[in-house]
Structures are given as C-alpha cells and as structure tokens.
Amino acid sequence: MVSKKKIMTSLVTSVALASISFTTVGQVVPQLGVQVQTTKAATSAINDYINNNNIQPVSITNQEGTFSYWTPYENGVGKPEGVVIHETATPGATAQNEATYFNREWSNIYTYVHAFVDNNQILNIKNTDYAVWGAGPTANAKFVQVELCEVSSTDAFARSVANQAYYTASKLVQYNLPFTPGVTVMSHNDVSKKWGETTHTDPVGYFANWGYSMDQFYDLIGKYYNQLKGTTNGGSSNTTNNGGTDNGNANVINVNNASGSYVPLVAFLSDGSMQKITNRALANNTPWYTDQVKDYNGVQYHRVATNEWVASNYVK
Ligand SMILES: [Zn+2]
C-alpha cells in the first residue's frame, strides 16, 4: 500500500539523503534478528484451492504508464535486487482502476509502482529496469514493487495471489535473482521493519483476512519460480509434476525481440484472419506460459493469453 502522506515523507527523506549523504533520517527502529525461514511448506487452503482447481496465472500485460522518471536502481539500470509485495487497501478497485488513478495522480501523490495485479490481470505499468516510488528510498532503490488489488471472493483471492506470485517469480527469473524469502522477496511490512522509512504493514493484514500468510505466499512463489527456472535452465519444455494436480501443461517460452524494445503480439479474429495487437506487448527477455501453438501463413504462433499470440521468431 502506498499513501499520500507516507510517500510525501519518503520523498522528503529521499531528497534529504541525496543532499546530506547518508545521515539517518527519522527515528531509530529496533533491528530484528535474521528470521529463520522454515523450509517446510506451510499448509494453505488457498494454495490447495489453486492446485486442486488447476488455476493458472495470467500472462503479464505491459501497458507503459505516465511515470516520467527513469531512475536507475542503486546497482544500475536493469539491476533490481528483488520484489516488494504490497496490497492496495482499496476494496473493489481493479488493476486497471488503480493504473488509471496512479497514471493520473502520481505527480500529486508522489507514489508509483511497477505493477498492479488482480484476479484477472497482471498490469505492468513501468519498465522494471527502472526504480519507482513505492516503499521509501532504500527499498525503492533496490526493488520492483507490485500491488495486489483487494477482491471479495475466495476464488478471486486465489487467482489474484497466483497472479502476484507468478509476477514475482517471473521478475526474479528475468533478473537472474535467487528466490530467498525475506531477502529477494519482502512484504512492505518487512521493508518497514528493516529500514523504518515507512510504517506500512501490507499485505499481512489483508492476507490474514483470507487466512493467508507471507509464508504460504512464499510457497506459491517458489512453485512458479521452480517451474520457470526448471524450464529455462533445463531446456525441457515440460514442467515437472511434483505430485500435486499441476499436470505440467504450462510450458514456458522465453521471448525476445532482437531488433526492438518489446515483443509484439497478434490476435486471431473469428473469421480466421490475424490482427496485430497495438496496445499490448511483452517485455524483452521474459518467460511466458504457453498452452497452444497455431500455424498461420507459414509462421508458428504461441498462445500466451486468451487471444494473444507471439510469433516463434521471437521465442528463444
Ligand atoms: Zn505497501
């Protein structure tokens, strides 16, 4: 969650840090010890629901927004160190609603994130090679920031966290980062405790409303991370069946456009003809689930969303 008041504070802190080097601003926060991560999978009704209903995450929609700052991370452009997990605290607002609001208001509320996720969509609105304003200056300089939208049914919640976990895993894979819970993936709550620049505790409270926890969410990220890693490293086209109801139908392709800044998509119309999609594209060097292939005019296309296909010449 990002709010006007808190982010104003963050911006002021950011300016202060820039002008007076690394003096600590704000109150001293007790440092917690390194938390021991349990390796045992946390039992989760939501994760079971996702498995039992074979819920698959949707593909990432890149819809570059209006945020006009192109700020490198502390390690440089294209070098985030992980992902911060947020939730919006705005019941009923969809990813598109949130994107529209922040694209209009970011320069007034001093807040922007990379992506909003709901039960139907993963909407990436800022190139994740560059930093945004989501969780205070320290975390902003390190992390990709993704917000979960609030929904009102168990099914929608399960789909929304599947999408957020998949987005997180795909960013870790995209940037060659390990999955280390609490380090390369942190909740905004973790960020507040660690650096004390914000007081937000999301998404812990909202997760708890659904009987869900960060540990359970980490299990879900791990599932997608392993699927993506397994496929990209091993060259095998099938993900492995780890005993659940994942039946390995989610093949993953890596796409890249060597001669452009994004990978174009096409749609097939009901009359069988093909049409270029002009308002969406895939980011270069990103992994995608694909469930179907189709030939059209001698070119093979891989399906990455309901009616979004990528030509095989972009598949690495
Ligand atoms: Zn937050």
Side-chain angles (χ1 to χ4, degrees), residues 7 19 25 34 46 54 69 79 86 93 115 117 152 177 184 194 206 219 231 258 279 287 304:
I7 300 305
S19 56
V25 177
V34 175
I46 294 293
N54 200 25
Y69 284 74
K79 293 184 174 167
H86 299 265
V117 170
S152 55
L177 294 165
T184 60
K194 184 161 187 180
Y206 174 66
D219 287 345
T231 316
N279 62 343
V304 293

Side-chain angles (χ1 to χ4, degrees), residues 266-275 294-297 301 307 309:
V266 301
F268 290 97
L269 307 184
S270 53
D271 65 3
S273 66
M274 189 194 82
Q275 189 173 60
K294 178 189 191 87
D295 290 313
Y296 182 84
N297 274 0
Y301 292 87
N307 193 10
W309 304 71

Side-chain angles (χ1 to χ4, degrees), residues 123-289:
L123 205 51
N124 194 98
I125 60 172
K126 178 66 179 182
N127 185 331
T128 50
D129 286 350
Y130 297 89
V132 290
W133 300 343
T138 303
N140 290 347
K142 294 176 183 292
F143 294 112
V144 172
Q145 318 261 343
V146 56
E147 294 263 3
L148 182 70
C149 295
E150 292 202 355
V151 293
S152 55
S153 74
T154 301
D155 183 77
F157 180 75
R159 288 175 191 280
S160 69
V161 290
N163 289 338
Q164 192 178 31
Y166 173 72
Y167 177 85
T168 303
S170 76
K171 288 298 163 188
L172 294 176
V173 171
Q174 180 183 347
Y175 293 110
N176 247 320
L177 294 165
F179 172 43
T180 311
V183 179
T184 60
V185 182
M186 299 176 77
S187 65
H188 194 172
N189 184 50
D190 293 334
V191 168
S192 295
K193 283 181 177 167
K194 184 161 187 180
W195 289 297
E197 296 165 344
T198 60
T199 56
H200 293 195
T201 58
D202 57 299
V204 175
Y206 174 66
F207 275 9
N209 292 345
W210 296 99
Y212 206 53
S213 69
M214 278 302 292
D215 279 344
Q216 294 169 355
F217 186 65
Y218 287 145
D219 287 345
L220 194 55
I221 295 171
K223 174 176 116 169
Y224 297 129
Y225 183 82
N226 291 336
Q227 285 178 355
L228 292 168
K229 269 297 198 195
T231 316
T232 51
N233 289 346
S236 156
S237 61
N238 273 322
T239 50
T240 51
N241 185 340
N242 55 12
T245 48
D246 282 336
N247 48 22
N249 64 356
N251 296 336
V252 177
I253 53 173
N254 273 277
V255 300
N256 189 54
N257 179 3
S259 53
S261 56
Y262 59 86
V263 176
L265 291 166
V266 301
F268 290 97
L269 307 184
S270 53
D271 65 3
S273 66
M274 189 194 82
Q275 189 173 60
K276 287 179 180 174
I277 295 175
T278 56
N279 62 343
R280 298 172 188 235
L282 307 181
N284 279 338
N285 291 306
T286 53
W288 295 89
Y289 281 99

